[in-house]
Amino acid sequence: MADEKRDYYEVLGIEKGASEEEIKKAYRKKARECHPDLHPDDPSYVEKFQEVNEANEILSDPEKRARYDQFGHAGIDPNSGMGGMDGFGGFTDMGDILENIFGGFGFGGSAKRSSNAPKRGTDIQESLVISFMESCNGVKKDIKINRLSVCDSCKGSGASAGTSAEICPDCQGRGSVKTTQRTPFGAISSTKACPHCNGKGKIITNPCAKCRGVGRVRVQKTVSVDIPAGIDDGQTIRLGGQGDCGVNNGPNGDLLIVISVKSHPLFKREGFDIHCDIPVTYMEAVLGAEITVPTIDGDVKYNISEGTETGTVFRLKGKGVKKLHRTERGNQYVKVYVEVPKNLNKRQKDLLRQFESSLSEKNYAKRQSFFEKLKKKLDF
């Protein structure tokens, strides 16, 4: 039942007055959190993910959102009597209302589009989770989708094999009928969808058993997706014509795939640059050394200079992520931190004390500068 469903704003974790951008951002976040691929051991996330997609489908469509805000779930439930806004004396949309109000006054109200006109299919939105390295290098993935396709049994006609649709006797195939209403201002003529054939102009007396006269059936299809190198978390890939099939020979909708990128244990991405932290030993930092640095292309060697301190950042030019559909790449920034040795035995501690005693203030330039500044401040 519609009233058993959760509030769509609550599902996405947003306020009722949220902007389109806030809805889009919240959806991407929730879709990543609830994606079944990230919770393979918990089947409940399949329903959670479907709930998030359903909420986004309604709230991202201004017309559906307006009906939902006014009537709740009943406003977008076709079985409730409100889903199509048929409560206005048989008018199917605001165009009908305005046509009937202004049609006889010479305002030139636009005629309602015929139900027989070609209509574009609906876009389908899916989420796809990929690894960090797949986002950097690009990958080809297969994704299963459920889409509306032309019924292969009736070839989209809606009529059973060996039969065909008949011309509606009420509208003579036009799909619309004229009515006249008498008002205090005089008679007003208007045109609306034929109630006998629902504006189709044809009547199917023997509907196809497979599609029940609709002409379209929902099928599962596997689609191959070429994910380009450099794609980032939250970006969308559009596959033209891979959405629901159109009506009356209208074009297909598109398939929109929202990409979710898993985090990496070593690398963090910022734009097209990659950042990582590298530990070095105390001796490597003091004496300088050649260290091994991981990159998305594999390990590389890098020489750190003598006296390298924690927080030192060096750049590996061109070792970042490839820029989308371009040859240029970002950089990799490596931050060094000196790991202080722990769990020393007595001999190691004695050796360190001997080493420390051999040093003088000139070996600690920052320490010496600090105390000089402190002394001047106290003297002041």
Side-chain angles (χ1 to χ4, degrees):
M1 296 293 292
D3 56 0
E4 294 177 351
K5 292 185 178 181
R6 291 174 61 201
D7 179 73
Y8 287 143
Y9 291 100
E10 179 185 341
V11 171
L12 296 183
I14 55 178
E15 298 295 330
K16 190 172 182 179
S19 65
E20 291 183 12
E21 186 61 32
E22 288 172 331
I23 293 173
K24 185 185 298 184
K25 185 177 180 180
Y27 166 69
R28 290 175 177 173
K29 179 182 177 182
K30 288 292 184 181
R32 288 195 295 271
E33 291 176 355
C34 299
H35 201 288
D37 290 351
L38 298 178
H39 308 276
D41 299 326
D42 191 343
S44 69
Y45 277 90
V46 175
E47 293 185 5
K48 292 179 181 178
F49 185 67
Q50 291 174 344
E51 184 182 45
V52 168
N53 278 314
E54 182 179 327
N56 179 66
E57 180 185 354
I58 299 303
L59 299 184
S60 62
D61 185 312
E63 182 180 344
K64 292 179 181 178
R65 182 183 181 184
R67 293 204 303 267
Y68 176 72
D69 287 346
Q70 185 173 3
F71 301 106
H73 289 288
I76 43 88
D77 184 356
N79 298 318
S80 69
M82 294 186 183
M85 295 298 287
D86 293 326
F88 294 92
F91 303 131
T92 56
D93 58 24
M94 288 302 296
D96 288 328
I97 299 172
L98 296 175
E99 175 65 19
N100 278 269
I101 294 176
F102 300 114
F105 291 91
F107 285 92
S110 60
K112 184 174 184 291
R113 186 177 65 178
S114 170
S115 296
N116 284 323
K119 182 180 179 182
R120 182 179 182 274
T122 304
D123 290 342
I124 299 174
Q125 185 165 291
E126 296 286 346
S127 291
L128 181 59
V129 179
I130 62 175
S131 71
F132 184 90
M133 294 304 296
E134 286 173 337
S135 73
C136 294
N137 301 321
V139 67
K140 189 171 186 177
K141 291 275 190 178
D142 288 339
I143 182 173
K144 290 183 178 180
I145 63 170
N146 290 308
R147 55 164 289 185
L148 287 173
S149 297
V150 175
C151 176
D152 57 2
S153 180
C154 66
K155 309 303 179 185
S157 70
S160 60
T163 68
S164 60
E166 300 175 357
I167 299 297
C168 174
D170 287 13
C171 67
Q172 302 300 314
R174 292 188 299 272
S176 61
V177 293
K178 287 187 176 181
T179 61
T180 301
Q181 294 177 320
R182 294 193 175 277
T183 73
F185 305 101
I188 298 179
S189 297
S190 61
T191 302
K192 67 176 182 179
C194 175
H196 191 194
C197 63
N198 293 320
K200 296 182 181 296
K202 297 180 180 180
I203 297 175
I204 299 173
T205 55
N206 295 299
C208 171
K210 185 173 183 179
C211 67
R212 299 181 180 180
V214 177
R216 302 191 298 172
V217 291
R218 191 165 294 281
V219 298
Q220 188 177 77
K221 179 181 179 181
T222 300
V223 179
S224 292
V225 186
D226 287 315
I227 302 173
I231 196 164
D232 205 354
D233 184 71
Q235 290 186 314
T236 299
I237 296 175
R238 179 184 292 270
L239 298 182
Q242 294 291 347
D244 288 342
C245 69
V247 179
N248 297 326
N249 295 317
N252 291 352
D254 297 338
L255 172 60
L256 308 176
I257 302 175
V258 181
I259 299 298
S260 295
V261 181
K262 295 180 181 178
S263 60
H264 193 277
L266 294 179
F267 303 127
K268 181 180 179 181
R269 178 174 173 175
E270 293 183 6
F272 295 102
D273 295 330
I274 288 179
H275 296 256
C276 72
D277 296 340
I278 298 290
V280 297
T281 68
Y282 177 73
M283 292 305 296
E284 287 174 333
V286 171
L287 302 179
E290 182 182 73
I291 62 173
T292 300
V293 179
T295 74
I296 61 174
D297 301 318
D299 294 343
V300 298
K301 299 295 184 181
Y302 186 87
N303 289 312
I304 60 173
S305 59
E306 179 181 331
T308 295
E309 299 179 346
T310 289
T312 299
V313 177
F314 59 86
R315 182 184 70 170
L316 299 178
K317 189 175 181 180
K319 288 296 183 180
V321 182
K322 183 178 180 292
K323 299 183 179 180
L324 277 174
H325 311 300
R326 294 164 61 183
T327 57
E328 297 91 343
R329 293 177 57 169
N331 303 313
Q332 178 168 327
Y333 293 90
V334 182
K335 180 184 286 188
V336 172
Y337 65 92
V338 181
E339 185 173 9
V340 178
K342 299 179 180 179
N343 302 317
L344 302 178
N345 57 35
K346 183 178 182 303
R347 180 172 178 277
Q348 290 168 333
K349 291 178 181 179
D350 290 341
L351 288 173
L352 276 179
R353 291 189 183 99
Q354 292 178 24
F355 172 70
E356 178 67 18
S357 64
S358 68
L359 301 177
S360 64
E361 289 298 325
K362 69 178 182 180
N363 298 117
Y364 294 104
K366 286 187 177 181
R367 176 184 171 89
Q368 185 178 10
S369 175
F370 171 80
F371 283 110
E372 286 178 354
K373 291 177 182 177
L374 180 62
K375 184 178 178 181
K376 289 180 180 179
K377 184 176 181 180
L378 292 176
D379 289 344
F380 177 78

